Amino acid sequence: MDDKYVIKNLSYEDVLQQLNNVTPLQLSKTLIQFELSDKQSSSDILDSIYKEFETKENVINELVTPLLLNVADGMVRHPKLGDIFKKTNITPTRIVKEVNEFRYDVLTEEYINDNEFMIRAEKEHYLRKNYDRKARSKTEKEKGIVRQNKSGQIEDAVTGKTLQLREDDANGDSTIFAHMDHVTPLKHMQVKYRNHPYLQRGDISKLAGLPENEAYINATLNTKKGALTWKEFIEKNPDALPSEQQKKVIELENKSEKAIAEESKKMITKNVGLQGLGEALILLMKPIWFEIKDSIQNGILYGFDTLDKIEAFGLRMRRAYVYVKENVIPKLGDFLKDVVANFLGVLINSVVDMFTGLLKSLLSIIMNGFLAIKEALSILLKPNSEMTKAQKADAITKIIASAVVPVVFFAFEQNIGKVPIIGDVLTLILSGLTTTMVVWLLNEIDIFSVKSEKRMERIEEIFNIRVKTIKENTDAFEKAALEHLAKKRLQFHKIANGLQSAVLDGSDVNSFVYGLADFMGIELSIKSTNEFYELLSQNESLSI
Amino acid sequence: MLGIVGWLKEKADDIKDKVVDCYDAAKDKIADCYDTVKDKFVDGVDAVKEHSTNMWNGITGKNLMEQAEAVWDRVEKHKIKINKCKTEIEKLGRVIDTKISNINYLKNEIYRNHFMKFKSLADRLHNLNIHGQSFNEFFDESIVTFAYLTSVKDKSDCFKIDFDNLSFSEKFFGFLSLGYMTRKAARESLEEVKKTELSLAHDVAKIKEHLAKVGKTVEAISQIEEYFSFITTNYVKLLGRFEYGVRTQTYKRIIENHVNVSGKINFKEIPVVHIEEFHAIFNLSIVLKKMASLGYLSESGEMLVHDIAEYENLKDMVSKSELIAA
């Protein structure tokens, strides 16, 4: 047995010897402080043993966060959903952190936009290819250009001349060779919107590609214009264009600016709105995920008065729903309110459905999914050195999800309908939650409990030995203390009686006083009356 | 703005209606599921139960629960023992408290009373100073309280499943999982109860140990009390003898007109017996001083400094006009 649990065995002789080594005046203190066992309480010992046995019991807890991370990751990287989350500051890590920290009594209100950094960063440097993303063919289509054998013509937006799209057709004359010019230059837009928090690089390139911003002018002029706006160009080169052409380009520029302004407004609103939607999705997930996590870690009945697990689950979902309805939805803008409220209803309903489906088909899941479960089990039991928690969660999610979830998925497929974006999010969330629930259910039916019997054996062994030792030590103590106290009592009475008689009958008491001091273990420096005389003679005053 | 919002709003309206239906449907579905399964399976459960109780107990884990019940009886017994010991320890604590107070009183008397008297008598013969500290002991209750008790669990905390009152979902889960879930609950209950019983048995052993120590300490403190009481009584008696001696010698000198300039009697001129008494009391004072300075239970207390100096006593004697005899 480990040293730390062992209590030293004390014999009757040991105790007696210890007591004999102290004076009668120190006896009471010695007795009350006597060490017959150690200072470990029952709960200290249990905690210590459980730590020794820290094994797969924690596997469920350890899986919860990685599973959530999986779901969050899937959500954020989903090809169809990529856009929603890209335009928000929601990262998988942030989702996991916030959802994990969720408590019903704590209402945090942070809508920190820390993605500004990212949005700005990507607009920091101007690289033409990042902004000029619209295909020329599209532009040509918009302008009504039809190519025949690669040749095509277009009217010069400034001069009015006919321009050739194919360089060879221009015969070296750059005044009739067509260039596609961005009225408001790309670089100019990059600089202008560089610090805008709600316009991303992709948005800017879209703005640059608006039909009003694209104009075909001749190559000579375009080269001259360079990266300037028309207004800047005229200022720099007041004589380069005749006045009607000047008027024309200014008109072009005004049109472009107007179109860009309008379109950018729409984009900004949408980005803000979508950001809100992303936030709202997370807010929804928090209480629902909390309920799932809480069920796994503390048992589904924890905190509720019922002993019926199905009822408890329903109560949990209701609690989450009420929370969102009362605390989250009122805070959203009107537009989002409706969307989220409906989304929520569908989500809750689907989760409930999924749960009932799961229960109903539990047996078939076990039988059909048995191989998958076996595989999952063997993965779970691998030491963390071979496979990290995250890897385990990943592997298990895949195995169980592919083998087991189809059995249940049908239930909520019907509820989602064919709603894009929201439907996909729902699917993702639910698949992650389903997997978690299956893992939880498997734990409930005891597949994962390992070594609990071994641990119980150890607890019994340690406690039994300790109890026996303590009992034996206590007995030894009582026997020895009893004897010692009796002996001392007898000794004292002998001296005391002698002293008392001497005092009463007037004889010399000194020998008894010495006996008493001796008994008490007190040192008297004056050993005889003669010495006392000397003391008196030599000292003006006595001191005690 | 219009594009996305409008489109979403449209869809939202569609869903809204569906959702309301869905929600109600969901509620009904659960209730249905409940009922259907109830009908199908509860009959099955009861049927199996009838045919083979032992197998049923084994499958469900009921036998484990029966073991747990037996262990729980021991738990209850432990609880009783512990409470008894606690009460006893508290009682002894109060006894110790009283005794400590008494000892404190006796300690103080030594300085206030006995040493003062000794000093006033001794001064007739020789200058005497007594410096000392008496230790006024506080009764520290933590000495006697027992600190290690495991928090006592209720039966319901340990027993995670009640086979006599299985809820519907327990039967449902139990049957579907081929008894896995109920066995697990039963095993956990047994484990929980065993842990509780062992913890409490450990507590019983510890509290009994503590009780033994407190009990013997009471006896030891009683002894100390007796030491104080006895020694001070005899000290006083001895002082009486000494006083008688000193007085007699004083009167003798007055009659013989032998008053010393310093007001003291020359100790070389008085009978040995009185010096012997002086000597004895001197030694006993040392013993008492030592005893008064000690704590007998813990370090908890305060030191009271006593300084019985010469001139104060002289003042005292003058006011009592003992120097000037009639």
Side-chain angles (χ1 to χ4, degrees), chain A residues 170-217:
Chain A
N171 292 325
D173 185 359
S174 53
T175 60
I176 52 169
F177 176 42
H179 267 191
M180 208 287 290
D181 171 53
H182 291 104
V183 179
T184 309
L186 296 169
K187 175 104 175 91
H188 181 93
M189 291 182 70
Q190 179 253 341
V191 167
K192 181 171 176 188
Y193 294 113
R194 182 153 57 187
N195 292 325
H196 199 290
Y198 292 107
L199 285 176
Q200 296 181 3
R201 195 166 66 194
D203 296 328
I204 297 175
S205 79
K206 282 205 187 89
L207 289 172
L210 287 171
E212 290 88 339
N213 198 44
E214 290 177 330
Y216 281 94
I217 59 178

Side-chain angles (χ1 to χ4, degrees), chain A residues 75-331:
Chain A
M75 253 166 63
V76 171
R77 291 190 209 288
H78 194 280
K80 285 193 196 161
L81 302 172
D83 258 10
I84 296 185
F85 289 106
K86 182 162 178 263
K87 290 171 192 283
T88 66
N89 57 351
I90 295 168
T91 60
T93 326
R94 185 189 148 198
I95 294 177
V96 171
K97 179 166 175 285
E98 289 198 18
V99 167
N100 258 336
E101 287 172 351
F102 173 79
R103 301 275 179 279
Y104 274 113
D105 47 5
V106 174
L107 276 178
T108 48
E109 296 192 29
E110 353 161 353
Y111 289 70
I112 307 167
N113 188 357
D114 57 6
N115 205 34
E116 271 182 50
F117 173 73
M118 281 310 294
I119 294 178
R120 195 195 187 288
E122 70 177 358
K123 292 181 281 180
E124 188 59 37
H125 299 289
Y126 177 71
L127 257 179
R128 197 195 166 89
K129 67 173 182 179
N130 286 335
Y131 292 91
D132 190 3
R133 301 187 68 79
K134 187 172 168 189
R136 291 289 179 266
S137 52
K138 194 159 178 223
T139 311
E140 288 178 9
K141 216 170 162 183
E142 282 171 359
K143 299 289 180 199
I145 298 171
V146 174
R147 291 242 196 186
Q148 278 165 339
N149 297 330
K150 298 198 190 157
S151 295
Q153 288 80 38
I154 181 82
E155 189 185 306
D156 188 322
V158 180
T159 63
K161 283 204 234 166
T162 310
L163 300 170
Q164 295 294 332
L165 284 157
R166 202 165 135 231
E167 188 155 12
D168 289 347
D169 296 341
N171 292 325
D173 185 359
S174 53
T175 60
I176 52 169
F177 176 42
H179 267 191
M180 208 287 290
D181 171 53
H182 291 104
V183 179
T184 309
L186 296 169
K187 175 104 175 91
H188 181 93
M189 291 182 70
Q190 179 253 341
V191 167
K192 181 171 176 188
Y193 294 113
R194 182 153 57 187
N195 292 325
H196 199 290
Y198 292 107
L199 285 176
Q200 296 181 3
R201 195 166 66 194
D203 296 328
I204 297 175
S205 79
K206 282 205 187 89
L207 289 172
L210 287 171
E212 290 88 339
N213 198 44
E214 290 177 330
Y216 281 94
I217 59 178
N218 63 73
T220 317
L221 186 56
N222 192 33
T223 318
K224 251 205 190 134
K225 179 180 179 250
L228 301 172
T229 65
W230 284 118
K231 290 197 184 79
E232 286 167 355
F233 177 76
I234 290 175
E235 227 185 283
K236 243 185 163 185
N237 311 294
D239 303 318
L241 292 173
S243 57
E244 326 110 35
Q245 284 185 5
Q246 279 187 17
K247 265 200 230 136
K248 199 112 188 257
V249 297
I250 293 197
E251 202 190 308
L252 264 176
E253 190 151 281
N254 288 339
K255 269 213 191 107
S256 144
E257 281 174 1
K258 187 156 164 248
I260 289 176
E262 268 181 36
E263 190 62 31
S264 64
K265 241 197 265 166
K266 289 190 202 166
M267 285 176 163
I268 291 167
T269 315
K270 179 168 160 237
N271 285 347
V272 172
L274 280 174
Q275 191 148 358
L277 178 62
E279 302 273 357
L281 285 179
I282 294 192
L283 284 175
L284 276 188
M285 278 213 62
K286 282 192 204 180
I288 294 176
W289 186 263
F290 173 82
E291 296 295 350
I292 305 282
K293 191 170 72 124
D294 196 51
S295 307
I296 293 177
Q297 290 177 331
N298 293 325
I300 200 172
L301 298 174
Y302 183 75
F304 293 98
D305 243 335
T306 175
L307 288 175
D308 189 330
K309 290 187 183 176
I310 298 180
E311 194 185 336
F313 181 75
L315 287 171
R316 281 182 178 276
M317 286 297 109
R318 208 194 75 170
R319 178 165 72 177
Y321 176 74
V322 166
Y323 173 84
V324 173
K325 204 172 97 162
E326 289 177 3
N327 294 306
V328 174
I329 291 184
K331 294 207 176 81

